[in-house]
Every structure is written in C-alpha cells, then in structure tokens.
Amino acid sequence: MPADLVRAGCDKAEVEALRRHHFYRRPIALIPNGVPADSFAETPRAGLRVPGEPVIASVSEWYSLKNPKMLFKAFKLVREQVPGARLFVFGHGFQPAGPAEHYARSIGVSEGVTYFGYSRPETVRHVLGSQADIYFHPTLEESFGMTFIEAMALGLPCVGGRASGAIPWILGDGQAGLLADVRNAREVADGLLHL
C-alpha cells in the first residue's frame, strides 16, 4: 500500500473498515466527491430572494429510507408560520399526481408545492441556483450525500439529519449546515424557519 492511502468518495465507516480489516495504520486522507468548478455560486446565499416567500428545495426519491414524508410534515409546519413558503421537490415519485403529491394532499399540504419529478441534473442545478433559498433532504441514511455538496456549491444553506450517515460529516458537524432530528417534524421545521 502507498505511504498515505487516499480514498475518494468513501465515508468514515469505510475508512475505519480499511483500518480494521486491512490493518492499515498510516494516515488516511478522506477526499469527498467533488463538483465541477463551474457549478459554484460566486457567493453564498445572503437572504431570501423574495421576502416572506422562502423556497425550500429537495432532491430525493419516494421510498422509506429517504424519509420523504418528512418533507411535507415539516413544510406544513413551516407554512403555518410563513404562508408564502414554497417547496420544490425533485426525483422519482415527486412528479405531478405521483405518490408524493397524493401523500401531501392526504395531510392537507396542497398549496405551495411544485412537483418536478425526475429532472435532468442541469435543470435541477438551474432551479436550485436561481430560485431556491434553502436545501433540505430528510434522508435517514446516506453513504455520502452528493446532493448536499451540489446545493452547498450553489450557495444554499442546508438542513440534514444529525444521525444520517455521512450527512453530519458533510455539514461539518453543524458548522457548515444545520443538523436536526429528521424524525421530528417540529425540530426540522424550527431549523428551516431559523434559516
């Protein structure tokens, strides 16, 4: 093995597995996946684009590990305090008339949500970079969390789970983004309202 093993795209658990199973004791530099330099915003988001109308965006999939129902539970609480708030959702299951919309309507969230469904990466980057104010992904487990890196590159403040795999690491243990219990809608909503 080389003097200093560098492993791109792995998480802390994989680094520890290298130590445990391969008995590697030298320093291991953990290098996250990157984004192209032209994907970066010139400056971080300084405030809401439209006062009183924050746009919360999420890129996910409709299955339980991604915790998609939390998007709508937390958004409902946000809308109670900020009626002009909007939610943009991207990914499989988030298309118009799909399972996400059916669920949102079942809990009384029908206003303020835009369903993009599966979208080309360029479309997602454009919408997030030009219209979103906050990025939130309620995933319960993530081996890396590329969507957070992409949102941060666009200058968006992020909210993620404090116990969601690599998310706390990506968000600097709360120094580069807000960490919340993504099983608790009130805590998530408070974080979103704080941002």
Side-chain angles (χ1 to χ4, degrees), residues 63-130:
Y63 75 95
S64 61
L65 191 60
K66 296 297 183 183
N67 197 22
K69 293 179 179 179
M70 183 55 65
L71 284 167
F72 300 99
K73 291 175 183 176
F75 182 65
K76 182 177 183 177
L77 295 172
V78 168
R79 288 270 300 189
E80 289 172 2
Q81 293 189 42
V82 184
R86 295 180 292 152
L87 177 64
F88 289 0
V89 288
F90 296 86
H92 292 289
F94 292 95
Q95 66 275 9
E101 184 172 5
H102 290 293
Y103 175 76
R105 289 185 185 282
S106 77
I107 66 165
V109 180
S110 57
E111 299 296 319
V113 183
T114 302
Y115 300 91
F116 288 89
Y118 176 78
S119 303
R120 295 174 49 84
E122 302 80 25
T123 302
V124 175
R125 276 194 302 274
H126 173 73
V127 172
L128 265 59
S130 65

Side-chain angles (χ1 to χ4, degrees), residues 43-58:
T43 59
R45 186 82 66 243
L48 298 179
R49 292 174 191 280
V50 179
E53 296 182 12
V55 175
I56 301 161
S58 189

Side-chain angles (χ1 to χ4, degrees), residues 70 74 136 159 180-182 184-193:
M70 183 55 65
F136 170 50
V159 177
D181 177 357
V182 292
N184 183 322
R186 178 78 268 161
E187 186 176 327
V188 169
D190 288 346
L192 292 168
L193 288 164

